[in-house]
Amino acid sequence: MGITIALAGNPNCGKTTMFNALTGSNQYVGNWPGVTVEKKHGKLKGHRDVTVTDLPGIYSLSPYTLEEVVARNYLVNDKPDAILNLVDATNIERNLYLTTQLTEMGIPVVIALNMMDLVAKNGDVINVQKLSEAMGCPVVEISALKNRGVLEAAEAAIKLAEANAASHTRHTFCDKVEQALSEIEALTEGRVPERNERWYAVKLFERDAKVLEQLNLGSHAHAVENLIRACEEEMDDDAESIITNERYEYISKVVKSSVKKKRTGMTTSDKIDRIVTNRVLALPLFAVVMFLVYAIAMGGWTISIGTMGTDWANDVLFGDWVPNAVGNFLAAIGCADWLQGLILDGIIAGVGAVLGFVPQMLVLFLLLAVLEDIGYMARVAFIMDRIFRRFGLSGKSFIPMLIATGCGVPGIMASRTIEQDRDRKMTIMTTGFIPCGAKMPIIGLFAGAIFGGSALVAVSAFFIGIAAVVISGIIMKKFKAFAGEPAPFVMELPPYHVPSAGNVLRATWERGWSFIKRAGTIILLSSIILWFLQGYGFVDGVFQAVEDNNNSLLAIVGNAIAWIFAPLGWVGDMAWKATVATITGLIAKEEVVNTFGVLYHFAGELSEEGNEIWPLVAADFSAIAAYSFMIFNLLCAPCFAAMGAIKREMNNTRWTLAAIGYMCLFAYVIAMIVYQIGGLIIGEVAFNVFTVIAALLLIGLIYLVFRKGYQGGGERLRAVDAARAEV
């Protein structure tokens, strides 16, 4: 019979490193059923019958964040055979809070003291024997980064699970709490499961709604409530605070008896943080670091190795080698013309356009993985929190938005690091507003064709994206689903250390492969559909392949729905072309410029910014209509690959549709206001009914920004209910 070991610990305690060391390549990644929290499990090296499950990084089992709910439900309902509790030995007092909760679960626990090499380097000493006796479970010294003691800790957990001997020494609460718990246990008359007896008693004392519901106390409920209330009145505090204080008092005694600190001065990490997290220097330093990351991954400089790789992939691999090789092969076997067109112009051209960005993505993921492993990215979230909180966003929201400047897909994926479910949803719904690299050709096309290459137009695109994030954050926080202050930003800043090559490469590959899989599936299907719609249509009532795109199915679709965008200034001969370009932009934003090239009958190879068709674009678009088109395509729903990422991270069809719908609606409203009001001001648009509608929309937008938001009480309980509803 197989054994399951749950790996639990605080964020940044080295849990991921530990999991990778235990399982190697025998890992499987998915989501917990019904929620977006990532689930990892794998087979223990050398033990085919032992499965290691990596629980989300949490500070406690109190069910206030989605991660805590998931971890608690897994331990209570799935009942693993043992818990391997990873503890950061350099910050042992904070980490042991979770340990006190885990040892109450009635499940065998082994404490793995991680970073013991740093403890020794600091001159500190931890008496493992005393710590083990105090906590009532085995304690093993390890260094996950250096792969020392890792398997020994796992073996200890296996041995404990096999023996099924959960010999936990219960820590002693104050007399009043102990008495209350004993009487609560008696009142339940056996309804409390023996294995989790103590844990259920504590949760009853804390008035945990879910536990009260599970136990169904019936006639005893009133007596239990009176007992708890009397205890709170006598101790002049609420039950949860009583438990928390007693935990910390006990932990303080344990640490005092088993840990001896030698060094009292500042550590190396503390000295670095005096600069890195300095109120004045932090942001400029962060800007420099991110500039270097962007320059190396996606810039246009000599050091931009990511761009070099992408240029080679686009120009050589997918621009020459693959098309020529496949074309020659298809010609040699006598493949039908339509099938050759599908494979070369549809599949290879479409999928290759996206896969060409893989080198840039891999370099970006590699650099970010290095920064994460060093410990710097935790500082970034801390730095940005005080700024983002002003707009109702968490400091962790900044990282997804920063990554999205390169590509929206990994940016949306990065939102999973945000603990609070509502903050994570809001970040996903606004990250797509940030102009990504794929949107740059759109900006370049209209800046060059209409605005004489004005740099202000390009810069304004970034400010529009940022403004959309800020405005959306303010508006959303006024509604019940997102109401309340962002979750308190609590994070242990891990000590700086040299990155592990294995961790960095593994993280890079996992993120890169996820991007490649989505690109290769979603883009493949959309490229085939686009090829068919562009290449076929009705000529003289006969359905056939067409040479003139004006006769294609795509043109029919464009003309049929172009009226929707008339209030945005997309009128006349360019209306259906702008509509079709927008539709293809949903497949991949790079397709907008390429579509214009096709629709304006440019036969040669179009440059990235499409300067070959600038005169034709300038003839069709007025300045204000061009700006309206640019704004809509920058703010509306992202490409199919990013939509797929939204679906995966939301893990809920209704929320996915809501996110995409909100982005499209917001983009439409802003584009209409810009065209109708802006055009009226500069004299390009005559006063009409849509001008009135645009003015009303502007007033409505201002009202939503400044109105008083939802004021419902029990913010913390709402977070719990929302998380439980997800699970």
Side-chain angles (χ1 to χ4, degrees):
M1 186 174 177
I3 293 175
T4 301
I5 299 174
L7 186 59
N10 289 186
N12 297 313
C13 69
K15 198 159 57 66
T16 299
T17 306
M18 175 78 163
F19 179 73
N20 291 335
L22 289 174
T23 60
S25 60
N26 303 314
Q27 302 175 14
Y28 304 90
V29 181
N31 282 344
W32 298 91
V35 294
T36 58
V37 179
E38 188 173 88
K39 173 174 66 175
K40 289 185 178 181
H41 58 93
K43 296 297 183 180
L44 180 65
K45 289 180 181 178
H47 297 268
R48 286 180 163 238
D49 59 338
V50 178
T51 300
V52 180
T53 299
D54 187 18
L55 296 180
I58 54 175
Y59 291 107
S60 76
L61 291 177
S62 302
Y64 300 126
T65 69
L66 188 57
E67 285 79 0
E68 290 168 347
V69 172
V70 166
R72 193 179 97 162
N73 285 359
Y74 176 79
L75 293 174
V76 173
N77 300 326
D78 291 24
K79 295 181 177 62
D81 298 292
I83 299 173
L84 190 55
N85 176 212
L86 200 64
V87 170
D88 178 0
T90 64
N91 194 12
I92 190 169
E93 188 167 359
R94 178 67 186 86
N95 280 240
L96 286 180
Y97 186 89
L98 175 62
T99 307
T100 62
Q101 293 181 320
L102 293 175
T103 54
E104 290 171 352
M105 298 294 294
I107 302 172
V109 176
V110 172
I111 297 175
L113 281 181
N114 192 25
M115 305 184 195
M116 287 300 294
D117 52 329
L118 296 180
V119 172
K121 185 178 180 180
N122 293 336
D124 302 336
V125 177
I126 298 179
N127 190 319
V128 175
Q129 184 63 32
K130 286 186 178 181
L131 181 62
S132 176
E133 291 173 359
M135 302 307 298
C137 58
V139 179
V140 181
E141 299 182 16
I142 73 166
S143 174
L145 187 64
K146 297 183 178 180
N147 203 15
R148 295 176 185 169
V150 173
L151 290 179
E152 288 81 352
E155 293 285 355
I158 294 173
K159 193 174 296 184
L160 207 58
E162 289 176 339
N164 197 24
S167 57
H168 305 296
T169 301
R170 305 297 184 185
H171 57 272
T172 306
F173 295 110
C174 68
D175 293 339
K176 294 295 182 183
V177 176
E178 186 69 26
Q179 181 183 355
L181 293 177
S182 299
E183 294 186 25
I184 289 172
E185 289 174 355
L187 283 169
T188 57
E189 294 182 347
R191 287 190 180 86
V192 179
E194 292 183 5
R195 189 179 187 193
N196 295 332
E197 181 178 313
R198 187 42 164 275
W199 179 78
Y200 271 99
V202 171
K203 290 301 164 190
L204 281 173
F205 186 74
E206 292 178 334
R207 290 190 181 90
D208 188 303
K210 188 171 184 179
V211 171
L212 289 170
E213 182 182 341
Q214 286 178 342
L215 293 179
N216 190 21
L217 298 177
S219 60
H220 298 298
H222 186 65
V224 170
E225 180 62 28
N226 288 338
L227 178 63
I228 295 173
R229 188 178 293 111
C231 185
E232 289 178 324
E233 290 176 357
E234 185 171 342
M235 301 189 71
D236 193 27
D237 207 346
D238 63 275
E240 187 174 5
S241 296
I242 294 170
I243 294 290
T244 301
N245 291 336
E246 293 302 321
R247 287 193 197 281
Y248 275 120
E249 281 190 21
Y250 177 73
I251 291 170
S252 180
K253 292 177 183 177
V254 171
V255 172
K256 188 175 181 180
S257 65
S258 58
V259 180
K260 296 189 182 299
K261 297 239 179 217
K262 179 179 180 181
R263 186 175 298 177
T264 57
M266 294 179 63
T267 64
T268 302
S269 290
D270 292 333
K271 293 176 182 177
I272 296 174
D273 280 338
R274 292 188 67 177
I275 300 173
V276 170
T277 61
N278 183 277
R279 284 185 174 272
V280 177
L281 298 176
L283 287 177
L285 181 60
F286 173 64
V288 171
V289 172
M290 289 299 104
F291 174 79
L292 290 175
V293 169
Y294 179 82
I296 295 172
M298 298 184 173
W301 298 274
T302 307
I303 60 172
S304 305
I305 57 177
T307 301
M308 296 177 192
T310 288
D311 288 343
W312 178 84
N314 286 329
D315 299 337
V316 180
L317 182 61
F318 293 108
D320 185 16
W321 292 359
V322 174
N324 288 338
V326 175
N328 292 335
F329 172 75
L330 294 176
I333 63 174
C335 184
D337 291 341
W338 71 267
L339 185 56
Q340 288 191 46
L342 170 61
I343 296 173
L344 295 175
D345 301 328
I347 296 175
I348 294 178
V351 177
V354 178
L355 293 182
F357 287 96
V358 168
Q360 286 182 330
M361 294 296 101
L362 291 179
V363 173
L364 177 65
F365 292 150
L366 178 69
L367 295 176
L368 291 176
V370 170
L371 292 177
E372 288 173 1
D373 213 38
I374 287 175
Y376 181 68
M377 294 308 280
R379 273 80 180 173
V380 171
F382 168 75
I383 293 165
M384 297 307 300
D385 182 63
R386 58 176 175 262
I387 299 175
F388 268 53
R389 285 181 70 83
R390 296 177 183 271
F391 307 115
L393 293 167
S394 164
K396 288 189 175 181
S397 299
F398 180 75
I399 296 175
M401 293 175 186
L402 175 71
I403 296 173
T405 59
C407 178
V409 174
I412 293 166
M413 291 168 59
S415 64
R416 66 180 53 172
T417 62
I418 301 172
E419 289 90 353
Q420 197 63 270
D421 183 59
R422 65 169 185 268
D423 294 340
R424 180 168 52 244
K425 284 187 169 70
M426 192 163 68
T427 300
I428 293 171
M429 294 175 73
T430 56
T431 296
F433 290 141
I434 301 297
C436 65
K439 296 176 182 177
M440 293 301 102
I442 303 174
I443 300 170
L445 171 64
F446 286 96
I450 310 294
F451 301 100
S454 173
L456 291 176
V457 173
V459 172
S460 70
F462 287 95
F463 282 106
I464 289 169
I466 294 171
V469 171
V470 172
I471 293 172
S472 295
I474 295 173
I475 291 175
M476 288 181 182
K477 276 296 179 180
K478 304 295 178 67
F479 290 90
K480 184 177 179 179
F482 304 100
E485 290 295 316
F489 190 69
V490 179
M491 174 180 282
E492 297 291 341
L493 298 181
Y496 292 98
H497 58 77
V498 177
S500 165
N503 289 342
V504 170
L505 293 176
R506 186 178 286 108
T508 302
W509 171 247
E510 286 179 357
R511 294 172 180 174
W513 179 238
S514 180
F515 174 80
I516 292 170
K517 283 193 295 185
R518 274 194 300 276
T521 52
I522 297 173
I523 296 296
L524 174 62
L525 178 61
S526 60
S527 295
I528 294 173
I529 294 173
L530 179 60
W531 170 84
F532 176 76
L533 293 177
Q534 283 184 334
Y536 288 84
F538 291 93
V539 178
D540 298 328
V542 179
F543 181 74
Q544 59 184 345
V546 297
E547 296 182 3
D548 186 353
N549 283 306
N550 289 289
N551 297 322
S552 68
L553 293 173
L554 198 59
I556 296 174
V557 173
N559 280 312
I561 63 176
W563 61 270
I564 297 174
F565 301 100
L568 277 56
W570 306 5
V571 294
D573 292 337
M574 68 85 165
W576 80 267
K577 297 175 183 175
T579 303
V580 167
T582 299
I583 294 172
T584 58
L586 296 177
I587 299 171
K589 292 300 180 182
E590 305 91 336
E591 290 294 324
V592 172
V593 175
N594 289 335
T595 300
F596 275 126
V598 173
L599 298 180
Y600 282 112
H601 306 289
F602 180 72
E605 184 177 352
L606 200 64
S607 66
E608 183 177 328
E609 295 180 356
N611 57 302
E612 296 86 353
I613 59 172
W614 284 2
L616 299 173
V617 173
D620 272 350
F621 286 83
S622 66
I624 196 68
Y627 205 72
S628 166
F629 178 88
M630 188 178 74
I631 287 177
F632 182 81
N633 278 274
L634 293 179
L635 299 182
C636 76
C639 63
F640 280 2
M643 289 185 204
I646 292 175
K647 176 64 173 69
R648 184 172 186 270
E649 296 307 314
M650 288 290 194
N651 204 23
N652 182 294
T653 301
R654 186 175 62 180
W655 272 105
T656 301
L657 295 176
I660 295 171
Y662 173 76
M663 285 185 276
C664 290
L665 178 62
F666 187 86
Y668 192 92
V669 169
I670 299 301
M672 180 188 288
I673 292 172
V674 167
Y675 178 74
Q676 296 293 340
I677 306 298
L680 186 66
I681 293 173
I682 66 176
E684 284 194 22
V685 178
F687 186 84
N688 61 86
V689 66
F690 292 118
T691 309
V692 177
I693 295 174
L696 292 175
L697 289 173
L698 179 59
I699 294 171
L701 197 63
I702 295 173
Y703 167 74
L704 290 174
V705 169
F706 291 101
R707 80 182 181 98
K708 190 175 181 179
Y710 176 74
Q711 299 295 317
E715 169 59 27
R716 198 168 172 183
L717 292 177
R718 287 201 306 276
V720 178
D721 293 340
R724 284 175 179 162
E726 286 281 353
V727 176

